[in-house]
Amino acid sequence: MSQDSIAAANVAGASSSATGRGLWSSRWMFFLAATGSAVGLGNIWKFPYITGENGGGAFVLVYLACILVIGIPLLMTEVMIGRRGRANPEGAIATLAKRAGASRHWRKLGTMAVLTGFLILSFYSVVAGWALAYAPAAAMGSFAGLDGESSGALFGAMLGDPWKLIGYGTLVLLLTLGIVGLGVREGLERSLRFMMPGLFVLLLVLVGYATTTGHFGEAVHFLFAADFSKLSAQSVLVALGHAFFTLSLASGAMMVYGSYLPAGTSIARTSLMVALADTGVALLAGLAIFPLVFANGLEPGAGPGLIFVTLPIAFGQMPFGQLVGGLFFIMLAIAALTSAISLSEPTIAWLSEKFAIGRLKAVLLSGITLWLLSLGTVLSFNLWSEFTLFGKTFFDSLDYLTTNLMMPLGGLGTVLFTGWALSRTTVQEALGINHPQLFKLWWLVLRWLTPLGILVVFLHTLGLFG
Ligand code: PHE
Protein backbone atom coordinates (compact mmCIF):
# COMPACT_ATOMS: atom_id res chain seq x y z
CA MET A 1 0.00 0.00 0.00
CA SER A 2 1.44 3.39 -0.89
CA GLN A 3 1.83 6.22 1.58
CA ASP A 4 -1.06 8.07 0.03
CA SER A 5 -3.45 5.19 0.14
CA ILE A 6 -2.57 4.63 3.80
CA ALA A 7 -3.25 8.30 4.39
CA ALA A 8 -6.53 8.01 2.53
CA ALA A 9 -7.53 4.93 4.50
CA ASN A 10 -6.84 6.82 7.68
CA VAL A 11 -8.69 9.92 6.61
CA ALA A 12 -11.63 7.73 5.78
CA GLY A 13 -11.48 6.59 9.37
CA ALA A 14 -10.68 2.97 8.54
CA SER A 15 -9.75 0.93 11.58
CA SER A 16 -6.07 0.32 12.02
CA SER A 17 -6.51 -3.38 11.41
CA ALA A 18 -7.61 -2.49 7.90
CA THR A 19 -4.10 -1.19 7.31
CA GLY A 20 -2.59 -4.30 8.87
CA ARG A 21 -1.19 -2.45 11.90
CA GLY A 22 -1.28 -3.58 15.50
CA LEU A 23 -2.52 -1.71 18.57
CA TRP A 24 -1.38 -1.89 22.20
CA SER A 25 -3.87 -3.98 24.13
CA SER A 26 -4.25 -1.24 26.75
CA ARG A 27 -3.16 2.18 27.89
CA TRP A 28 -1.03 0.46 30.50
CA MET A 29 0.87 -1.41 27.75
CA PHE A 30 1.56 1.85 25.99
CA PHE A 31 2.86 3.27 29.26
CA LEU A 32 5.16 0.26 29.73
CA ALA A 33 6.41 0.44 26.15
CA ALA A 34 7.01 4.19 26.15
CA THR A 35 8.70 4.01 29.54
CA GLY A 36 10.78 1.08 28.28
CA SER A 37 11.86 3.24 25.37
CA ALA A 38 12.68 6.24 27.53
CA VAL A 39 14.50 4.33 30.27
CA GLY A 40 17.78 3.11 28.87
CA LEU A 41 21.50 3.67 28.75
CA GLY A 42 20.63 7.36 28.88
CA ASN A 43 19.24 7.03 32.42
CA ILE A 44 21.61 4.53 33.96
CA TRP A 45 24.86 5.15 32.12
CA LYS A 46 24.70 8.72 30.84
CA PHE A 47 22.65 10.65 33.41
CA PRO A 48 24.77 9.73 36.45
CA TYR A 49 28.04 10.48 34.69
CA ILE A 50 26.99 13.80 33.17
CA THR A 51 25.57 14.79 36.55
CA GLY A 52 28.92 13.84 38.09
CA GLU A 53 30.84 15.81 35.46
CA ASN A 54 28.63 18.86 35.82
CA GLY A 55 28.78 19.14 39.57
CA GLY A 56 25.55 17.52 40.79
CA GLY A 57 22.40 19.24 42.12
CA ALA A 58 22.35 22.44 40.07
CA PHE A 59 22.71 20.40 36.90
CA VAL A 60 19.83 18.16 38.00
CA LEU A 61 17.63 21.23 38.43
CA VAL A 62 18.42 22.54 34.96
CA TYR A 63 17.80 19.10 33.50
CA LEU A 64 14.40 18.97 35.21
CA ALA A 65 13.54 22.39 33.77
CA CYS A 66 14.46 21.15 30.28
CA ILE A 67 12.27 18.08 30.70
CA LEU A 68 9.39 20.32 31.74
CA VAL A 69 9.67 23.04 29.10
CA ILE A 70 10.93 21.07 26.10
CA GLY A 71 10.70 17.39 26.81
CA ILE A 72 7.13 17.02 27.98
CA PRO A 73 5.45 19.28 25.37
CA LEU A 74 7.40 17.55 22.60
CA LEU A 75 6.63 14.10 23.97
CA MET A 76 2.90 14.85 23.98
CA THR A 77 3.16 16.26 20.47
CA GLU A 78 4.89 13.19 19.10
CA VAL A 79 2.48 10.72 20.67
CA MET A 80 -0.39 12.81 19.34
CA ILE A 81 0.98 12.89 15.80
CA GLY A 82 1.42 9.12 15.87
CA ARG A 83 -2.08 8.43 17.12
CA ARG A 84 -3.78 10.87 14.76
CA GLY A 85 -1.79 9.68 11.76
CA ARG A 86 -1.89 5.95 12.63
CA ALA A 87 1.18 5.24 10.53
CA ASN A 88 4.97 5.31 10.64
CA PRO A 89 6.42 8.79 11.37
CA GLU A 90 6.60 9.84 7.72
CA GLY A 91 3.13 8.52 6.91
CA ALA A 92 1.60 9.99 10.06
CA ILE A 93 2.96 13.49 9.45
CA ALA A 94 1.90 13.25 5.79
CA THR A 95 -1.64 12.39 6.83
CA LEU A 96 -1.88 15.25 9.32
CA ALA A 97 -0.34 17.75 6.91
CA LYS A 98 -2.76 16.72 4.20
CA ARG A 99 -5.76 17.08 6.49
CA ALA A 100 -4.58 20.51 7.63
CA GLY A 101 -3.89 21.62 4.06
CA ALA A 102 -0.21 22.16 4.94
CA SER A 103 2.80 21.54 2.70
CA ARG A 104 3.57 17.91 1.94
CA HIS A 105 7.22 18.58 2.67
CA TRP A 106 6.53 18.34 6.41
CA ARG A 107 6.62 14.56 5.96
CA LYS A 108 10.40 14.79 5.59
CA LEU A 109 10.55 15.44 9.32
CA GLY A 110 9.20 11.94 9.76
CA THR A 111 11.74 10.48 7.35
CA MET A 112 14.52 12.21 9.25
CA ALA A 113 13.20 10.89 12.57
CA VAL A 114 13.25 7.34 11.21
CA LEU A 115 16.81 7.83 10.00
CA THR A 116 17.84 9.28 13.38
CA GLY A 117 16.51 6.24 15.25
CA PHE A 118 18.22 3.92 12.78
CA LEU A 119 21.60 5.64 13.13
CA ILE A 120 21.35 5.73 16.94
CA LEU A 121 20.56 2.03 17.07
CA SER A 122 23.74 1.25 15.09
CA PHE A 123 25.88 2.49 17.99
CA TYR A 124 23.41 1.97 20.85
CA SER A 125 23.54 -1.77 20.15
CA VAL A 126 27.32 -1.77 20.56
CA VAL A 127 27.19 0.03 23.94
CA ALA A 128 24.32 -2.21 25.07
CA GLY A 129 26.65 -5.11 24.22
CA TRP A 130 29.08 -3.86 26.89
CA ALA A 131 26.37 -4.40 29.50
CA LEU A 132 25.81 -7.94 28.21
CA ALA A 133 29.54 -8.57 28.45
CA TYR A 134 29.86 -7.12 31.95
CA ALA A 135 26.94 -9.00 33.52
CA PRO A 136 28.59 -12.45 33.46
CA ALA A 137 32.00 -10.93 34.25
CA ALA A 138 30.56 -9.31 37.39
CA ALA A 139 28.69 -12.44 38.44
CA MET A 140 31.73 -14.67 38.01
CA GLY A 141 33.90 -12.49 40.22
CA SER A 142 36.17 -10.99 37.55
CA PHE A 143 36.09 -7.64 39.38
CA ALA A 144 37.60 -8.94 42.63
CA GLY A 145 40.49 -6.78 43.78
CA LEU A 146 40.33 -4.31 40.88
CA ASP A 147 41.89 -0.89 41.36
CA GLY A 148 41.58 2.18 39.11
CA GLU A 149 44.31 1.04 36.79
CA SER A 150 43.36 -2.59 36.40
CA SER A 151 39.68 -1.71 36.00
CA GLY A 152 40.55 0.73 33.23
CA ALA A 153 42.71 -1.96 31.64
CA LEU A 154 39.87 -4.49 31.77
CA PHE A 155 37.51 -2.08 30.02
CA GLY A 156 40.24 -1.13 27.54
CA ALA A 157 40.87 -4.79 26.73
CA MET A 158 37.20 -5.26 25.86
CA LEU A 159 37.13 -2.16 23.66
CA GLY A 160 40.36 -3.26 21.99
CA ASP A 161 38.87 -6.59 20.93
CA PRO A 162 36.76 -6.07 17.79
CA TRP A 163 35.52 -9.69 17.78
CA LYS A 164 34.20 -9.41 21.29
CA LEU A 165 32.41 -6.14 20.50
CA ILE A 166 30.99 -7.56 17.27
CA GLY A 167 29.83 -10.66 19.10
CA TYR A 168 27.95 -8.82 21.85
CA GLY A 169 26.63 -6.11 19.51
CA THR A 170 25.31 -8.79 17.17
CA LEU A 171 23.62 -10.52 20.08
CA VAL A 172 21.85 -7.26 21.00
CA LEU A 173 20.68 -6.77 17.41
CA LEU A 174 19.48 -10.37 17.15
CA LEU A 175 17.50 -10.10 20.39
CA THR A 176 16.06 -6.72 19.42
CA LEU A 177 15.03 -7.65 15.91
CA GLY A 178 13.88 -11.09 16.97
CA ILE A 179 11.39 -9.47 19.35
CA VAL A 180 10.39 -6.72 16.93
CA GLY A 181 9.93 -9.25 14.13
CA LEU A 182 7.14 -10.92 16.10
CA GLY A 183 5.02 -7.77 15.96
CA VAL A 184 3.43 -5.37 18.41
CA ARG A 185 1.38 -7.85 20.44
CA GLU A 186 3.37 -11.05 20.11
CA GLY A 187 6.81 -9.48 20.25
CA LEU A 188 6.84 -6.11 21.96
CA GLU A 189 4.03 -6.58 24.45
CA ARG A 190 4.97 -10.09 25.49
CA SER A 191 8.59 -9.16 26.19
CA LEU A 192 7.84 -5.81 27.83
CA ARG A 193 5.39 -7.44 30.22
CA PHE A 194 8.18 -9.16 32.08
CA MET A 195 11.18 -6.99 31.25
CA MET A 196 9.74 -3.75 32.64
CA PRO A 197 8.64 -5.06 36.05
CA GLY A 198 11.97 -6.91 36.25
CA LEU A 199 13.81 -3.68 35.57
CA PHE A 200 11.95 -1.81 38.33
CA VAL A 201 12.41 -4.58 40.89
CA LEU A 202 16.16 -4.76 40.16
CA LEU A 203 16.47 -1.00 40.44
CA LEU A 204 14.71 -0.94 43.81
CA VAL A 205 16.86 -3.81 45.10
CA LEU A 206 19.98 -1.90 44.06
CA VAL A 207 18.81 1.33 45.69
CA GLY A 208 17.97 -0.69 48.80
CA TYR A 209 21.47 -2.12 48.81
CA ALA A 210 22.92 1.38 48.36
CA THR A 211 21.18 2.53 51.53
CA THR A 212 23.18 -0.05 53.49
CA THR A 213 26.55 1.42 52.50
CA GLY A 214 26.33 4.26 55.01
CA HIS A 215 26.98 6.80 52.27
CA PHE A 216 23.44 7.25 51.00
CA GLY A 217 23.10 10.73 52.51
CA GLU A 218 26.22 11.84 50.70
CA ALA A 219 24.71 10.74 47.40
CA VAL A 220 21.42 12.50 48.16
CA HIS A 221 23.35 15.65 48.93
CA PHE A 222 25.38 15.32 45.75
CA LEU A 223 22.27 14.88 43.58
CA PHE A 224 19.98 17.40 45.22
CA ALA A 225 22.03 20.19 46.80
CA ALA A 226 22.23 22.84 44.11
CA ASP A 227 25.51 24.69 43.88
CA PHE A 228 25.10 27.02 40.93
CA SER A 229 28.74 28.06 40.94
CA LYS A 230 29.53 24.66 39.45
CA LEU A 231 27.20 25.21 36.51
CA SER A 232 28.59 26.42 33.18
CA ALA A 233 26.76 27.46 30.01
CA GLN A 234 27.96 24.19 28.54
CA SER A 235 26.18 22.26 31.32
CA VAL A 236 22.88 23.82 30.32
CA LEU A 237 23.34 22.54 26.79
CA VAL A 238 24.29 19.09 27.97
CA ALA A 239 21.10 19.06 30.05
CA LEU A 240 18.98 20.06 27.07
CA GLY A 241 20.51 17.50 24.72
CA HIS A 242 20.01 14.85 27.34
CA ALA A 243 16.33 15.76 27.73
CA PHE A 244 15.83 14.81 24.06
CA PHE A 245 17.80 11.63 24.28
CA THR A 246 16.36 10.33 27.51
CA LEU A 247 12.74 10.86 26.45
CA SER A 248 13.44 9.19 23.07
CA LEU A 249 12.32 12.30 21.20
CA ALA A 250 12.88 13.19 17.55
CA SER A 251 13.82 9.64 16.67
CA GLY A 252 10.47 8.25 15.57
CA ALA A 253 10.19 6.05 18.67
CA MET A 254 7.47 7.93 20.53
CA MET A 255 5.59 8.70 17.32
CA VAL A 256 5.46 5.10 16.23
CA TYR A 257 4.50 3.94 19.74
CA GLY A 258 1.78 6.62 19.72
CA SER A 259 0.50 5.21 16.43
CA TYR A 260 -0.37 1.98 18.26
CA LEU A 261 -2.16 3.80 21.10
CA PRO A 262 -5.86 2.93 21.37
CA ALA A 263 -8.27 5.83 20.93
CA GLY A 264 -9.68 7.43 24.05
CA THR A 265 -6.52 7.41 26.18
CA SER A 266 -5.51 10.84 27.49
CA ILE A 267 -2.23 11.58 25.75
CA ALA A 268 -1.45 14.43 28.11
CA ARG A 269 -1.78 12.34 31.25
CA THR A 270 -0.02 9.25 29.89
CA SER A 271 2.91 11.28 28.52
CA LEU A 272 3.29 13.00 31.85
CA MET A 273 3.45 9.63 33.57
CA VAL A 274 6.11 8.44 31.11
CA ALA A 275 8.22 11.55 31.70
CA LEU A 276 7.83 11.14 35.47
CA ALA A 277 8.82 7.49 35.36
CA ASP A 278 11.82 8.27 33.18
CA THR A 279 13.03 11.04 35.46
CA GLY A 280 12.34 8.90 38.52
CA VAL A 281 14.48 6.08 37.14
CA ALA A 282 17.34 8.45 36.30
CA LEU A 283 17.33 9.81 39.87
CA LEU A 284 17.01 6.33 41.38
CA ALA A 285 19.90 5.15 39.22
CA GLY A 286 21.93 8.00 40.70
CA LEU A 287 20.86 6.91 44.19
CA ALA A 288 21.92 3.34 43.42
CA ILE A 289 25.29 4.30 41.96
CA PHE A 290 26.71 7.25 43.90
CA PRO A 291 26.54 5.69 47.40
CA LEU A 292 28.74 2.85 46.10
CA VAL A 293 31.09 5.36 44.51
CA PHE A 294 31.40 7.37 47.74
CA ALA A 295 31.55 4.33 50.02
CA ASN A 296 34.57 3.09 48.12
CA GLY A 297 36.33 6.44 48.00
CA LEU A 298 35.95 6.76 44.23
CA GLU A 299 35.48 9.77 41.99
CA PRO A 300 31.89 10.75 40.95
CA GLY A 301 33.05 12.91 38.04
CA ALA A 302 34.87 10.16 36.16
CA GLY A 303 32.88 10.61 32.95
CA PRO A 304 31.71 7.83 30.63
CA GLY A 305 33.79 5.31 32.58
CA LEU A 306 31.66 5.79 35.71
CA ILE A 307 29.67 2.61 35.11
CA PHE A 308 32.23 0.48 33.32
CA VAL A 309 35.42 1.46 35.15
CA THR A 310 34.52 3.06 38.50
CA LEU A 311 31.61 0.83 39.54
CA PRO A 312 33.44 -2.49 38.90
CA ILE A 313 36.06 -1.36 41.43
CA ALA A 314 33.26 -0.90 43.97
CA PHE A 315 31.69 -4.28 43.08
CA GLY A 316 35.10 -5.92 43.45
CA GLN A 317 35.51 -4.85 47.07
CA MET A 318 31.96 -4.78 48.47
CA PRO A 319 30.06 -7.49 50.37
CA PHE A 320 27.84 -9.38 47.89
CA GLY A 321 29.63 -7.48 45.11
CA GLN A 322 29.37 -10.37 42.64
CA LEU A 323 25.63 -10.70 43.06
CA VAL A 324 24.93 -6.96 43.12
CA GLY A 325 27.27 -6.30 40.19
CA GLY A 326 25.69 -9.07 38.14
CA LEU A 327 22.20 -7.74 38.87
CA PHE A 328 23.29 -4.20 38.04
CA PHE A 329 24.53 -5.10 34.57
CA ILE A 330 21.51 -7.32 33.90
CA MET A 331 19.32 -4.34 34.74
CA LEU A 332 21.37 -2.15 32.40
CA ALA A 333 21.04 -4.73 29.61
CA ILE A 334 17.26 -4.95 30.02
CA ALA A 335 16.91 -1.17 30.02
CA ALA A 336 19.03 -0.95 26.87
CA LEU A 337 17.12 -3.74 25.13
CA THR A 338 13.68 -2.16 25.64
CA SER A 339 15.11 1.09 24.22
CA ALA A 340 16.75 -0.68 21.30
CA ILE A 341 13.40 -2.25 20.44
CA SER A 342 11.84 1.21 20.22
CA LEU A 343 14.75 2.47 18.13
CA SER A 344 14.17 -0.21 15.51
CA GLU A 345 10.38 -0.09 15.34
CA PRO A 346 10.14 3.21 13.38
CA THR A 347 12.37 1.81 10.63
CA ILE A 348 10.47 -1.47 10.49
CA ALA A 349 7.09 0.31 10.32
CA TRP A 350 8.42 2.77 7.73
CA LEU A 351 9.91 0.08 5.48
CA SER A 352 6.91 -2.19 5.61
CA GLU A 353 4.32 0.56 5.14
CA LYS A 354 6.10 2.72 2.63
CA PHE A 355 7.38 -0.08 0.42
CA ALA A 356 4.58 -2.52 1.13
CA ILE A 357 6.90 -5.34 2.19
CA GLY A 358 6.22 -7.88 4.94
CA ARG A 359 7.38 -7.19 8.47
CA LEU A 360 9.89 -10.04 8.38
CA LYS A 361 11.48 -8.75 5.19
CA ALA A 362 11.71 -5.28 6.75
CA VAL A 363 13.39 -6.78 9.83
CA LEU A 364 15.94 -8.66 7.71
CA LEU A 365 16.71 -5.68 5.53
CA SER A 366 17.20 -3.29 8.42
CA GLY A 367 19.06 -5.95 10.43
CA ILE A 368 21.69 -6.42 7.77
CA THR A 369 22.24 -2.70 7.20
CA LEU A 370 22.28 -1.99 10.95
CA TRP A 371 24.84 -4.71 11.51
CA LEU A 372 27.12 -3.40 8.76
CA LEU A 373 26.86 0.14 10.10
CA SER A 374 27.54 -1.03 13.66
CA LEU A 375 30.91 -2.34 12.49
CA GLY A 376 31.96 1.30 12.05
CA THR A 377 31.29 1.94 15.75
CA VAL A 378 33.03 -1.29 16.80
CA LEU A 379 36.14 -0.48 14.78
CA SER A 380 36.26 3.12 16.02
CA PHE A 381 37.29 1.73 19.44
CA ASN A 382 40.18 -0.29 18.07
CA LEU A 383 41.45 -0.69 14.50
CA TRP A 384 40.04 2.65 13.31
CA SER A 385 40.60 4.62 16.50
CA GLU A 386 43.14 6.82 14.74
CA PHE A 387 40.80 7.53 11.88
CA THR A 388 38.89 10.73 12.67
CA LEU A 389 36.45 13.08 10.95
CA PHE A 390 36.60 16.66 12.26
CA GLY A 391 38.58 15.31 15.20
CA LYS A 392 35.96 12.70 16.09
CA THR A 393 36.01 8.94 15.69
CA PHE A 394 33.25 7.23 13.71
CA PHE A 395 31.33 6.52 16.94
CA ASP A 396 31.73 10.07 18.26
CA SER A 397 30.69 11.52 14.89
CA LEU A 398 27.53 9.42 14.74
CA ASP A 399 26.68 10.27 18.35
CA TYR A 400 27.24 13.98 17.65
CA LEU A 401 25.34 13.94 14.35
CA THR A 402 22.28 12.28 15.87
CA THR A 403 22.10 13.68 19.42
CA ASN A 404 23.41 17.19 18.82
CA LEU A 405 22.24 17.92 15.28
CA MET A 406 19.43 15.68 14.06
CA MET A 407 17.50 15.52 17.35
CA PRO A 408 17.31 19.28 18.01
CA LEU A 409 16.55 19.99 14.35
CA GLY A 410 13.88 17.29 14.15
CA GLY A 411 12.39 18.33 17.49
CA LEU A 412 12.25 21.96 16.40
CA GLY A 413 10.57 20.99 13.13
CA THR A 414 8.03 18.85 14.98
CA VAL A 415 6.96 21.57 17.42
CA LEU A 416 6.76 24.11 14.61
CA PHE A 417 4.63 21.71 12.57
CA THR A 418 2.25 21.15 15.47
CA GLY A 419 2.17 24.70 16.81
CA TRP A 420 2.00 26.55 13.51
CA ALA A 421 0.79 24.22 10.74
CA LEU A 422 -1.95 22.33 12.60
CA SER A 423 -5.03 24.04 13.92
CA ARG A 424 -5.45 24.73 17.62
CA THR A 425 -8.70 22.81 17.84
CA THR A 426 -7.25 19.70 16.17
CA VAL A 427 -4.41 19.66 18.67
CA GLN A 428 -6.62 20.33 21.67
CA GLU A 429 -9.00 17.58 20.67
CA ALA A 430 -6.23 15.12 19.98
CA LEU A 431 -4.37 15.73 23.23
CA GLY A 432 -7.29 15.43 25.55
CA ILE A 433 -6.43 18.41 27.77
CA ASN A 434 -9.96 19.38 28.74
CA HIS A 435 -9.16 22.28 30.99
CA PRO A 436 -9.22 25.42 28.73
CA GLN A 437 -6.73 27.44 30.78
CA LEU A 438 -4.34 24.53 31.02
CA PHE A 439 -4.47 23.98 27.27
CA LYS A 440 -3.91 27.67 26.65
CA LEU A 441 -0.74 27.52 28.70
CA TRP A 442 0.41 24.34 26.97
CA TRP A 443 -0.23 25.87 23.56
CA LEU A 444 1.75 29.00 24.43
CA VAL A 445 4.69 26.96 25.70
CA LEU A 446 4.62 24.73 22.64
CA ARG A 447 4.48 27.57 20.13
CA TRP A 448 7.04 29.87 21.74
CA LEU A 449 9.02 28.59 24.68
CA THR A 450 9.82 25.12 23.36
CA PRO A 451 11.02 26.21 19.89
CA LEU A 452 13.02 29.11 21.30
CA GLY A 453 14.61 26.83 23.88
CA ILE A 454 15.60 24.32 21.22
CA LEU A 455 16.86 27.03 18.91
CA VAL A 456 19.18 28.39 21.55
CA VAL A 457 20.73 24.96 22.14
CA PHE A 458 20.96 24.23 18.50
CA LEU A 459 22.69 27.47 17.53
CA HIS A 460 24.99 27.03 20.45
CA THR A 461 25.91 23.50 19.37
CA LEU A 462 26.77 24.87 15.98
CA GLY A 463 29.01 27.34 17.78
CA LEU A 464 27.08 30.39 16.66
CA PHE A 465 27.20 31.98 20.05
CA GLY A 466 29.57 31.81 22.94
N1 PHE B 1 15.78 7.08 25.69
C1 PHE B 1 16.77 6.07 25.51
C2 PHE B 1 17.78 6.13 26.66
O1 PHE B 1 17.69 6.96 27.51
C3 PHE B 1 17.49 6.20 24.20
C4 PHE B 1 16.61 6.33 23.02
C5 PHE B 1 16.73 7.44 22.20
C6 PHE B 1 15.64 5.38 22.74
C7 PHE B 1 15.90 7.61 21.12
C8 PHE B 1 14.78 5.55 21.66
C9 PHE B 1 14.91 6.65 20.86
O2 PHE B 1 18.69 5.35 26.70
Side-chain angles (χ1 to χ4, degrees):
M1 196 187 281
S2 77
Q3 206 74 62
D4 282 334
S5 54
I6 289 177
N10 281 313
V11 170
S15 78
S16 67
S17 58
T19 56
R21 312 183 86 245
L23 276 187
W24 302 117
S25 54
S26 65
R27 173 176 55 174
W28 171 242
M29 268 324 301
F30 168 78
F31 170 75
L32 279 191
T35 305
S37 169
V39 172
L41 295 168
N43 303 61
I44 301 168
W45 172 55
K46 217 167 174 187
F47 175 75
Y49 91 69
I50 57 178
T51 300
E53 280 180 335
N54 291 282
F59 175 81
V60 173
L61 264 184
V62 175
Y63 161 76
L64 292 178
C66 295
I67 292 282
L68 205 66
V69 173
I70 295 176
I72 293 175
L74 188 54
L75 176 60
M76 291 182 186
T77 303
E78 293 200 7
V79 175
M80 180 208 79
I81 292 176
R83 184 165 76 181
R84 288 294 275 202
R86 287 275 184 244
N88 66 82
E90 184 187 316
I93 294 183
T95 303
L96 292 198
K98 194 170 179 177
R99 274 191 225 159
S103 160
R104 58 198 303 275
H105 292 299
W106 286 110
R107 70 169 65 197
K108 290 179 186 143
L109 276 174
T111 327
M112 185 168 88
V114 170
L115 184 65
T116 307
F118 180 85
L119 292 177
I120 292 179
L121 183 53
S122 81
F123 65 80
Y124 201 87
S125 57
V126 176
V127 181
W130 303 349
L132 278 189
Y134 264 49
M140 289 179 323
S142 315
F143 299 158
L146 282 185
D147 59 15
E149 208 172 306
S150 52
S151 186
L154 193 71
F155 187 51
M158 179 180 71
L159 294 188
D161 182 349
W163 292 111
K164 198 163 181 180
L165 295 186
I166 292 175
Y168 284 107
T170 307
L171 192 58
V172 172
L173 282 179
L174 282 176
L175 282 169
T176 305
L177 294 168
I179 291 172
V180 172
L182 293 173
V184 176
R185 289 268 172 107
E186 291 298 306
L188 276 68
E189 283 206 359
R190 275 225 316 233
S191 61
L192 286 162
R193 254 185 232 279
F194 71 87
M195 283 201 282
M196 292 310 290
L199 174 66
F200 282 112
V201 170
L202 284 178
L203 183 61
L204 292 179
V205 169
L206 291 165
V207 175
Y209 177 79
T211 59
T212 67
T213 57
H215 290 258
F216 197 72
E218 219 174 309
V220 171
H221 186 263
F222 180 71
L223 278 172
F224 298 106
D227 175 359
F228 282 92
S229 68
K230 288 191 184 140
L231 204 68
S232 65
Q234 190 61 34
S235 316
V236 178
L237 303 169
V238 173
L240 264 163
H242 189 63
F244 273 102
F245 190 80
T246 193
L247 288 179
S248 308
L249 300 171
S251 57
M254 290 301 179
M255 260 187 221
V256 87
Y257 275 9
S259 78
Y260 305 134
L261 182 64
T265 309
S266 161
I267 290 177
R269 194 173 324 137
T270 318
S271 305
L272 214 58
M273 276 165 54
V274 172
L276 266 176
D278 181 66
T279 308
V281 170
L283 294 174
L284 284 175
L287 291 178
I289 291 166
F290 287 119
L292 313 191
V293 171
F294 293 131
N296 292 280
L298 301 166
E299 187 38 58
L306 182 66
I307 294 283
F308 293 105
V309 180
T310 309
L311 268 193
I313 305 172
F315 292 138
Q317 55 197 34
M318 291 176 341
F320 309 109
Q322 271 175 251
L323 177 68
V324 175
L327 292 179
F328 179 85
F329 286 106
I330 291 174
M331 171 185 75
L332 188 61
I334 296 177
L337 191 61
T338 54
S339 297
I341 289 172
S342 76
L343 280 163
S344 71
E345 181 63 26
T347 305
I348 308 295
W350 181 78
L351 279 176
S352 57
E353 289 167 12
K354 181 158 173 134
F355 302 101
I357 58 174
R359 200 171 164 90
L360 236 41
K361 230 188 216 162
V363 165
L364 275 178
L365 199 65
S366 52
I368 293 166
T369 28
L370 272 169
W371 187 79
L372 287 173
L373 196 60
S374 76
L375 296 182
T377 293
V378 165
L379 295 175
S380 72
F381 291 110
N382 36 69
L383 301 178
W384 289 359
S385 60
E386 302 295 314
F387 172 78
T388 54
L389 244 147
F390 301 110
K392 289 181 172 20
T393 63
F394 185 86
F395 165 68
D396 290 333
S397 312
L398 258 190
D399 183 20
Y400 186 84
L401 173 72
T402 50
T403 315
N404 295 346
L405 299 178
M406 294 172 87
M407 279 188 156
L409 199 64
L412 181 62
T414 309
V415 280
L416 291 179
F417 171 67
T418 308
W420 299 89
L422 300 183
S423 83
R424 194 190 145 123
T425 25
T426 312
V427 176
Q428 182 167 14
E429 238 177 61
L431 269 186
I433 302 184
N434 295 327
H435 199 291
Q437 294 301 2
L438 208 60
F439 181 74
K440 208 167 170 184
L441 178 70
W442 187 86
W443 189 237
L444 260 174
V445 171
L446 183 86
R447 295 184 95 195
W448 295 101
L449 213 54
T450 313
L452 281 175
I454 300 174
L455 208 63
V456 170
V457 202
F458 189 58
L459 294 181
H460 196 291
T461 338
L462 292 182
L464 294 188
F465 31 78

